[in-house]
Amino acid sequence: MLTDESLEFARQHIFWFYDTDFYPKPFEFKALWHSWEEVKQYLISTPIQQLQTTNPKVLPWLKAKGGYRVVHQLEPLDALIYTALVYICAADIEQARMVPSVACSYRISPTDSSFFAHGSGFPLYRNSCELLSSRHNYVLSTDISDFYNQIYLHRIANSIEAVSTFPKIGSTIENFLMRLNNKASQGIPVGPAASVVLAEAILIDIDQFIANNHVEHVRYVDDIRIFSDSQKELEEILERLVIYLHDQHRLSLSGEKTSIRTTDEFLHEELQNQYQLEKLEILNDIEAGNPYEIYEEPEDADALDDAEDNTSEDNLSQTLLDALVRAKNFGYVDLAVLRAIIRRAKSQKIPDLAEFILTDIAFFRPVINDVALYLDSLPSAALLKLKALFSSLCSDRKLESLSTRVWMEWLLTRHPDLLQEQAIRKYVYSGNTIAASSAAIIQKNQAWAKQAKQNLLSLASWNRRASIYSLSALSNDEKNKFISHIMQNPTMTATDKWVCKWVKDGCPELDFVDLDDIFG
């Protein structure tokens, strides 16, 4: 079922982007790339039902308007399999979707490494809403409750089988996800880009059902807007849609997010009020682009650099900081605006936002992943100036939420100068094994690595591999002898052994993957 092409796409996708939006990328992928031909042959030659799968990691992620959703990180090998399987049917799913002016979100166009080559689609969604509002008097607004977690896997299989030219790919994906879910038949992982593709597959027939009612509509993921000149007609369509979603997908609509309004009210409340216009102005000023596209420098980048002086850099820095202050003053977290500002600051390595963000880190928890990636992009000297602030945050226990810990541990263990602070060291070493292992490696903490050897084989998968990684802090002789010993243990998984090989070979990193070498 897995092919050379699909696995090469999965490797490129994870190498250039992420395995999930909500966790740092695991070091294990470096080990898989190191033994890539062996890994690929193993995945191609082994029937998928015989490949070992493990329940994903889960994390409570704070929503913008309060409450939490559960997000996921798959085992590295599972992430490769999932991405490769969805790649096989992605083009067929896109072919079956309605036109971009209706199904606006993330148009699927698999390239060398990305599922989505044309941006998020949100500007098109906004334009379509404005156009249809000018044609009609009323709009029905609604969205599907807890969409990703409520999707039935058998419905995914049926949706894919109906459109795909690849035999049994739908049922293969269903069975794989069932194993990930510990046989639960409901819910797809939240975080991987592949899940966005599967969500769009589920929505194909929902778009068709709405169109069969002879009305115009627009949809962004599970947010649906249906337009008509008759309020009564929209009430009747709403009832039919509720029944259809229940009968065909066992999905339901959110009561608090469902309403029928005049299009004038809709435009004012959602698109053209002062807040929305200010938000649009900010986004137009600092839009960072599609996070699933590889950023390419313009051909005349050197000339542009020569032409720009420090004043223009200062202006951009002040513009972004002003925008961040304005966004915070909105009164609640606007994910699109905050992400755009922070990602633009990251792309330009602008340090001036860092202190403002860290001083009120609790406010930025819904975008803590973007915050950490931004801080990591800054020059070492800029981060060093924040050492006292990081230390204070650790001492005052302001970095203790689970999502904040995952990302702050990752950040702090990438910068040796920060680990010189006692409060920061205590924060990191008192965290999970993965963080402590990373700190031990960067500090060459032999004592921690020697202790990790004692119970390594009794640890669960993620912690076991982290402990294997920490052996890098030991002498080559001690490291290699112990690795040779544990490699013989029957409890070691394929991924464990590839990590062992990588550590034994000195943890080499793949500096660059030439896409042309693979895809021509």
Side-chain angles (χ1 to χ4, degrees):
M1 179 63 70
L2 295 174
T3 64
D4 188 276
E5 179 185 348
S6 67
L7 286 169
E8 288 293 353
F9 171 87
R11 177 173 74 144
Q12 292 294 330
H13 176 74
I14 292 171
F15 178 85
W16 286 107
F17 305 109
Y18 301 97
D19 57 319
T20 174
D21 289 333
F22 298 102
Y23 283 83
K25 190 187 299 184
F27 73 85
E28 286 93 332
F29 285 114
K30 298 176 184 178
L32 298 182
W33 309 154
H34 182 60
S35 299
W36 178 241
E37 291 303 320
E38 183 181 339
V39 172
K40 186 166 60 173
Q41 183 57 37
Y42 170 75
L43 293 176
I44 290 174
S45 62
T46 307
I48 288 180
Q49 63 271 21
Q50 294 180 19
L51 293 169
Q52 181 178 357
T53 56
T54 306
N55 293 348
K57 284 184 185 178
V58 295
L59 194 65
W61 197 269
L62 185 65
K63 293 182 179 180
K65 297 182 179 180
Y68 290 86
R69 58 173 166 162
V70 174
V71 299
H72 303 88
Q73 182 172 48
L74 276 59
E75 281 273 338
L77 213 58
D78 290 339
L80 274 169
I81 296 167
Y82 186 39
T83 305
L85 286 174
V86 173
Y87 170 79
I88 291 171
C89 58
D92 290 329
I93 291 171
E94 176 62 24
Q95 186 67 29
R97 295 174 69 192
M98 285 198 166
V99 295
S101 58
V102 174
C104 301
S105 47
Y106 287 109
R107 299 306 300 200
I108 303 162
S109 180
T111 59
D112 296 343
S113 58
S114 176
F115 283 111
F116 318 109
H118 305 297
S120 67
F122 190 80
L124 181 57
Y125 164 77
R126 180 187 176 89
N127 291 340
S128 292
C129 284
E130 290 181 340
L131 177 62
L132 294 179
S133 293
S134 70
R135 293 178 181 171
H136 301 285
N137 295 326
Y138 296 95
V139 57
L140 164 61
S141 302
T142 190
D143 79 357
I144 299 171
S145 297
D146 198 18
F147 180 44
Y148 275 39
N149 287 322
Q150 298 303 317
I151 293 174
Y152 274 89
L153 303 184
H154 191 57
R155 265 66 176 193
I156 288 178
N158 289 341
S159 297
I160 294 173
E161 298 287 358
V163 302
S164 180
T165 57
F166 201 96
K168 297 185 178 179
I169 182 64
S171 58
T172 301
I173 291 174
E174 176 190 6
N175 291 334
F176 175 75
L177 289 174
M178 285 276 285
R179 291 163 62 201
L180 283 185
N181 289 357
N182 199 23
K183 298 185 179 181
S185 61
Q186 196 173 12
I188 62 175
V190 177
S195 292
V196 178
V197 178
L198 295 188
E200 290 298 330
I202 282 289
L203 291 159
I204 289 171
D205 71 284
I206 296 172
D207 282 333
Q208 293 170 342
F209 173 80
I210 297 171
N212 288 344
N213 282 271
H214 310 293
V215 288
E216 293 186 287
H217 80 284
V218 62
R219 178 182 58 76
Y220 191 82
V221 193
D222 61 318
D223 286 328
I224 300 168
R225 306 293 181 260
I226 305 174
F227 295 82
S228 172
D229 289 325
S230 168
Q231 182 175 354
K232 179 66 174 175
E233 181 181 37
L234 291 178
E235 291 171 354
E236 293 171 352
I237 290 172
L238 175 59
E239 290 184 340
R240 292 196 289 269
L241 179 60
V242 167
I243 295 299
Y244 184 83
L245 288 173
H246 176 268
D247 286 349
Q248 301 303 322
H249 294 284
R250 285 300 188 267
L251 295 173
S252 60
L253 297 176
S254 169
E256 63 182 22
K257 295 182 180 179
T258 298
S259 65
I260 297 175
R261 293 169 285 178
T262 67
T263 50
D264 287 342
E265 292 171 332
F266 168 70
L267 288 172
H268 174 71
E269 292 170 9
E270 288 199 21
L271 300 180
Q272 295 179 354
N273 58 42
Q274 183 59 39
Y275 159 70
Q276 291 293 342
L277 294 175
E278 185 174 1
K279 169 182 172 178
L280 188 62
E281 178 186 347
I282 294 174
L283 289 174
N284 287 338
D285 286 344
I286 46 80
E287 177 60 52
N290 178 9
Y292 295 106
E293 287 181 328
I294 298 173
Y295 175 75
E296 296 181 357
E297 291 282 358
E299 293 181 3
D300 58 348
D302 292 338
L304 288 174
D305 287 343
D306 292 339
E308 292 178 349
D309 56 18
N310 290 333
T311 302
S312 63
E313 294 177 4
D314 291 343
N315 287 342
L316 177 58
S317 175
Q318 190 60 50
T319 296
L320 292 176
L321 184 56
D322 289 346
L324 195 63
V325 172
R326 289 165 63 192
K328 188 173 182 299
N329 290 338
F330 285 161
Y332 69 93
V333 175
D334 190 302
L335 295 178
V337 172
L338 293 183
R339 284 171 178 159
I341 296 169
I342 294 170
R343 288 173 183 177
R344 181 64 185 277
K346 171 180 174 287
S347 70
Q348 300 298 313
K349 297 180 171 57
I350 294 173
D352 295 13
L353 281 63
E355 185 173 354
F356 180 84
I357 291 171
L358 287 171
T359 301
D360 196 3
I361 191 65
F363 175 82
F364 291 95
R365 277 175 58 196
V367 289
I368 193 64
N369 46 352
D370 284 299
V371 167
L373 292 168
Y374 157 65
L375 292 171
D376 187 57
S377 74
L378 300 180
S380 297
L383 273 184
L384 196 57
K385 291 179 181 178
L386 300 168
K387 184 193 290 187
L389 180 52
F390 276 116
S391 180
S392 175
L393 291 170
C394 291
S395 297
D396 296 342
R397 301 183 60 81
K398 292 185 177 180
L399 304 177
E400 293 298 321
S401 78
L402 294 179
S403 59
T404 301
R405 250 200 177 276
V406 163
W407 281 98
M408 287 296 108
E409 288 173 348
W410 171 83
L411 173 69
L412 295 171
T413 55
R414 290 170 60 83
H415 299 278
D417 291 339
L418 296 179
L419 287 173
Q420 293 174 5
E421 285 288 318
Q422 182 177 357
I424 296 177
R425 286 199 307 275
K426 181 179 179 181
Y427 173 80
V428 168
Y429 279 107
S430 64
N432 63 52
T433 302
I434 297 171
S437 170
S438 298
I441 293 167
I442 201 171
Q443 291 194 299
K444 302 187 183 304
N445 189 333
Q446 296 182 50
W448 194 95
K450 288 176 182 289
Q451 288 183 301
K453 288 170 52 180
Q454 296 178 359
N455 63 344
L456 183 150
L457 290 173
S458 65
L459 298 174
S461 57
W462 291 96
N463 290 339
R464 175 187 289 194
R465 294 192 298 264
S467 295
I468 294 172
Y469 188 20
S470 75
L471 301 176
S472 304
L474 303 177
S475 69
N476 284 336
D477 181 65
E478 184 175 3
K479 173 189 72 176
N480 293 340
K481 284 183 178 178
F482 185 72
I483 287 177
S484 297
H485 167 67
I486 62 174
M487 285 277 281
Q488 309 305 315
N489 192 290
T491 65
M492 296 283 282
T493 67
T495 304
D496 292 340
K497 292 177 180 179
W498 285 316
V499 170
C500 282
K501 183 178 186 301
W502 177 65
V503 171
K504 195 172 184 180
D505 290 347
C507 302
E509 295 202 23
L510 190 62
D511 292 329
F512 180 73
V513 178
D514 189 343
L515 303 183
D516 290 337
D517 288 346
I518 297 171
F519 294 95

